[in-house]
Amino acid sequence: MSEQENTNLVQEVYERFRKGDESFLESFSDDITFELPEMENVPYAGTHNGIQAVKEFFALLAEVEENLAHNPTDFIANGDKVVVLGNYKWRVKATNKEYDGDFCHVMTLRDGKIASFKEFIDTAVRINAHTAARAV
């Protein structure tokens, strides 16, 4: 696929995700590697291998957090890679804490599907939102 086709596919994935349309998962390869940083107290953090693990990731994410805003702002393609820059805002249901920040997602496409995904974020704000206040 061309860089423009890769960009279009990734843009469509983000649009479907923002609308709550789970068909965005069909754009991931069966053997996808889906990687977030390791984060203490964040139950969905780390690497998820394979489409079933990614589906479980998104189910757990929806269970523990509410998506308040998810705005990709820039799509940068180079060969089989698409980098997405943007910002987000989430609320952790268990602590009722909100967090926001910028993200960088790096995806590699293969045969018209997203074969790998890696997220770069400010982990401290997410960890803080997942950490309950301690009684003094």
Side-chain angles (χ1 to χ4, degrees):
M1 291 176 59
S2 71
E3 289 177 353
Q4 187 59 55
E5 290 170 320
N6 288 341
T7 300
N8 291 345
L9 183 143
V10 170
Q11 287 173 328
E12 180 63 28
V13 166
Y14 279 84
E15 187 58 29
R16 286 185 276 162
F17 174 77
R18 285 172 17 114
K19 290 179 178 177
D21 178 355
E22 292 185 7
S23 70
F24 75 88
L25 292 165
E26 297 168 7
S27 297
F28 296 137
S29 67
D30 288 342
D31 62 346
I32 186 171
T33 300
F34 197 92
E35 186 177 354
L36 283 75
E38 292 289 344
M39 294 172 276
E40 186 177 349
N41 296 325
V42 180
Y44 55 77
T47 301
H48 309 273
N49 293 306
I51 191 61
Q52 189 57 43
V54 172
K55 288 178 180 178
E56 291 167 7
F57 159 82
F58 279 106
L60 181 58
L61 177 64
E63 181 181 318
V64 300
E65 293 190 17
E66 177 185 4
N67 183 357
L68 303 175
H70 199 267
N71 304 306
T73 57
D74 298 286
F75 295 83
I76 305 156
N78 185 13
D80 64 353
K81 295 214 183 300
V82 177
V83 175
V84 182
L85 305 176
N87 55 73
Y88 57 80
K89 185 173 185 174
W90 294 82
R91 184 183 66 81
V92 177
K93 294 175 182 177
T95 64
N96 205 34
K97 292 181 184 177
E98 293 182 5
Y99 68 95
D100 58 26
D102 297 323
F103 65 79
C104 175
H105 294 159
V106 178
M107 285 161 270
T108 304
L109 288 89
R110 182 182 68 235
D111 300 326
K113 300 256 183 176
I114 298 169
S116 72
F117 172 97
K118 186 166 185 170
E119 180 176 67
F120 297 89
I121 55 155
D122 179 352
T123 57
V125 296
R126 189 174 282 174
I127 292 168
N128 181 57
H130 276 269
T131 303
R134 295 186 186 146
V136 178

